[in-house]
Amino acid sequence: MTEQLSTKHLLGIKYLTREDIELIFETADEFKEVINRPIKKVPSLRDITVANMFFENSTRTRISFELAEKRLSADVVNFSASASSVSKGETLLDTVNNVLSMKVDMVVMRHPAPGAPQFLARHIQANIINAGDGTHEHPTQALLDAFSLREKFGELAGKKVAIFGDITHSRVALSNIYCLRKLGAEVKVCGPPTLIPKFLPALGVGVEHDVKKTLQWCDAANVLRIQLERQDVKNFPSLREYSQYFGINRALLDSLDKEIVVMHPGPINRGVELTSDVADSEHSIILQQVENGVAVRMAVLYLLAARRS
Ligand code: CP
């Protein structure tokens, strides 16, 4: 078992090895035990300062990173673009360099532009953690998703995972595909043809358009949100029609001759991609995903801090 990550940044799952992912999971196992103790804090990142720089909205990822940093005793500063000098025209590099001048060691960044964390990593010394870059990658979401499946199934190799919905505009989909394939799972995507990119089969991913057939095939269904805010053109006639043909509801689950695990990265469009009687059902591990996010992000921060130069 390797003792340290092969990289000093977490820019995407594409750049991690299978050994890196397994090391993150084993470290997260230990931190999950820590955060379930009455005293949830350890001194591992004392004297490290982390800046959470969010240029795009977030609930789960921002709070989860901040909690993870505080549980590790890091000093934390939070930056949100809407309340900063970005609105006065300051560039990304100037903004980040000004924050780093205040002796920040690690940057957690969400940005609407795909590739923004890679750009930063070429120009600054601090460790960069990608908290979602446009439609590209959301690596910690994929890690917490796979960690949650590993808790459920023990081993991901040979497991069948289907990703439903708006694949084209989803950074969660691409990171999940890289992560699950590296861990030996079989992956299919299912959604309207207009929301599935043509390059996916080259990543070893099956493509389906029939929801019931895909549910019958999979052990776990990761259901994604329709990202209307990223769609300039109409990719389907209406939300009502999308829900009718691609939404997952209780009747559909009950019609299967097997049980499956239901996941969603959030935020959920209830009644569009998932009905409440599925999202809140015994099949759903949506809140376990959120809980696991803190332990997984603690593991990522801890392991990257050990790679500081
Ligand atoms: N899953 C996820 O990235 O949610 P937020 O946008 O709320 O961070």
Side-chain angles (χ1 to χ4, degrees):
M1 184 69 192
T2 175
E3 290 300 318
Q4 67 170 16
L5 294 178
S6 64
T7 170
K8 68 172 271 195
H9 306 292
L10 178 57
L11 302 177
I13 301 289
K14 183 177 181 181
Y15 311 105
L16 295 183
T17 64
R18 181 183 180 135
E19 289 72 30
D20 287 331
I21 297 171
E22 284 166 356
L23 178 60
I24 292 168
F25 288 173
E26 290 183 12
T27 311
D29 284 335
E30 290 173 29
F31 284 129
K32 185 156 180 184
E33 194 267 315
V34 168
I35 59 179
N36 281 296
R37 290 182 198 156
I39 296 171
K40 301 172 175 59
K41 218 163 163 170
V42 286
S44 314
L45 292 197
R46 206 168 49 200
D47 301 328
I48 301 271
T49 304
V50 187
N52 297 316
M53 306 193 67
F54 280 69
F55 294 82
E56 198 185 78
N57 293 345
S58 168
T59 298
R60 279 146 291 270
T61 312
R62 192 174 53 78
I63 293 174
S64 180
F65 265 113
E66 188 171 345
L67 274 177
E69 292 148 8
K70 288 180 170 166
R71 301 276 190 252
L72 291 167
S73 306
D75 292 319
V76 179
V77 285
N78 289 310
F79 163 98
S80 93
S82 56
S84 76
S85 293
V86 169
S87 58
K88 300 176 196 161
E90 191 167 44
T91 67
L92 173 62
L93 197 51
D94 279 343
T95 302
V96 174
N97 270 330
N98 275 274
V99 173
L100 292 178
S101 308
M102 298 179 226
K103 307 296 175 213
V104 165
D105 302 294
M106 305 176 86
V107 175
V108 174
M109 188 176 74
R110 170 167 290 190
H111 199 281
Q118 283 82 354
F119 169 77
L120 268 195
R122 283 198 296 274
H123 290 91
I124 64 175
Q125 276 302 309
N127 308 90
I128 312 287
I129 301 176
N130 179 2
D133 61 327
T135 56
H136 180 223
E137 280 225 40
H138 190 350
T140 56
Q141 180 68 46
L143 289 167
L144 73 89
D145 289 345
F147 182 83
S148 304
L149 286 173
R150 169 181 170 270
E151 268 189 347
K152 199 81 191 161
F153 298 131
E155 166 80 32
L156 266 79
K159 286 285 176 277
K160 295 175 174 159
V161 182
I163 305 172
F164 290 87
D166 182 356
I167 312 299
T168 298
H169 301 98
S170 172
R171 53 194 172 213
V172 174
L174 190 58
S175 286
N176 261 267
I177 289 167
Y178 285 132
C179 191
L180 293 165
R181 296 293 296 134
K182 283 177 197 240
L183 295 171
E186 288 183 53
V187 183
K188 276 189 184 175
V189 295
C190 177
T194 47
L195 292 176
I196 297 184
K198 297 213 173 1
F199 65 83
L200 283 191
L203 300 179
V205 174
V207 176
E208 270 288 353
H209 305 295
D210 183 321
V211 171
K212 183 159 183 192
K213 204 167 138 192
T214 312
L215 287 171
Q216 196 65 57
W217 171 82
C218 68
D219 299 304
N222 197 351
V223 189
L224 305 181
R225 182 172 70 88
I226 291 290
Q227 302 203 27
L228 290 174
E229 75 276 20
R230 295 193 202 278
Q231 300 185 27
D232 299 330
V233 292
K234 260 184 173 290
N235 288 293
F236 49 87
S238 67
L239 284 178
R240 191 186 165 101
E241 192 165 320
Y242 180 85
S243 158
Q244 189 180 345
Y245 288 100
F246 294 99
I248 296 179
N249 56 45
R250 187 76 201 204
L252 205 45
L253 282 198
D254 289 345
S255 72
L256 306 177
D257 56 23
K258 60 191 259 198
E259 298 231 328
I260 61 162
V261 172
V262 176
M263 310 168 75
H264 194 300
I268 305 172
N269 287 318
R270 286 178 182 260
V272 179
E273 67 267 6
L274 264 189
T275 52
S276 288
D277 55 7
V278 175
D280 305 328
S281 73
E282 69 282 11
H283 300 285
S284 163
I285 60 163
I286 293 170
L287 292 179
Q288 285 100 301
Q289 290 172 258
V290 177
E291 182 188 342
N292 286 333
V294 177
V296 166
R297 290 179 172 118
M298 285 173 83
V300 167
L301 289 157
Y302 173 80
L303 291 165
L304 289 179
R307 290 290 325 259
R308 265 179 331 130
S309 50

